[in-house]
Amino acid sequence: MKIGELSARTGVSIRSIRYYEQQGLLTPVRQENGYREYSPFAEEQVRTIQLYLNLGLSTEQIAGFLHCVLQNKESFCKEVFPVYRQKLAEIEEQIKLLQSIKSNLEERM
């Protein structure tokens, strides 16, 4: 399928799909005319990438385990759990900071 069709099927912009390709998350075949040709599997890849981006992970983090997740179930991919632990620690720090800011604002009111 062409990039426009992949974009329409997934709701992800063509620009984002090209970015995923630059980051090594998607690999289309190039036709003789230079057009990208994506496999039917690319739709699942893009949806999976979006899932992890929505969890707050970076494309670099996703690249570290995407291949495993797409071939196996997430629970079988040991590469995922350190990334989750790191992200949870970051979120905890952000929550602490926001709670501190909230308390400071409440005191000033």
Side-chain angles (χ1 to χ4, degrees):
M1 84 182 83
K2 302 284 187 277
I3 195 167
E5 183 180 351
L6 180 59
S7 174
R9 286 184 175 199
T10 60
V12 174
S13 71
I14 290 173
R15 183 176 176 189
S16 292
I17 292 170
R18 287 184 181 136
Y19 177 72
Y20 301 160
E21 183 181 338
Q22 290 172 343
Q23 297 301 305
L25 300 174
L26 282 176
T27 308
V29 173
R30 289 285 186 161
Q31 295 179 333
E32 288 181 19
N33 59 8
Y35 288 2
R36 294 168 172 88
E37 183 68 33
Y38 293 91
S39 74
F41 182 63
E43 188 174 343
E44 181 182 348
Q45 285 178 283
V46 170
R47 292 186 194 285
T48 302
I49 293 165
Q50 286 290 294
L51 168 79
Y52 289 115
L53 288 173
N54 288 332
L55 289 176
L57 302 181
S58 69
T59 54
E60 285 180 347
Q61 290 170 316
I62 296 167
F65 60 78
L66 182 63
H67 182 72
C68 179
V69 168
L70 290 169
Q71 288 189 335
N72 306 291
K73 292 185 178 180
E74 184 179 59
S75 60
F76 291 106
C77 297
K78 64 181 185 217
E79 301 91 348
V80 175
F81 296 108
V83 175
Y84 282 0
R85 282 188 203 99
Q86 178 186 357
K87 189 61 183 177
L88 284 171
E90 290 172 12
I91 290 170
E92 288 294 332
E93 285 300 313
Q94 290 174 342
I95 289 170
K96 286 178 188 176
L97 177 62
L98 289 172
Q99 286 174 333
S100 174
I101 293 169
K102 180 182 179 227
S103 294
N104 194 342
L105 286 171
E106 288 173 341
E107 288 174 10
R108 294 181 186 284
M109 290 173 65

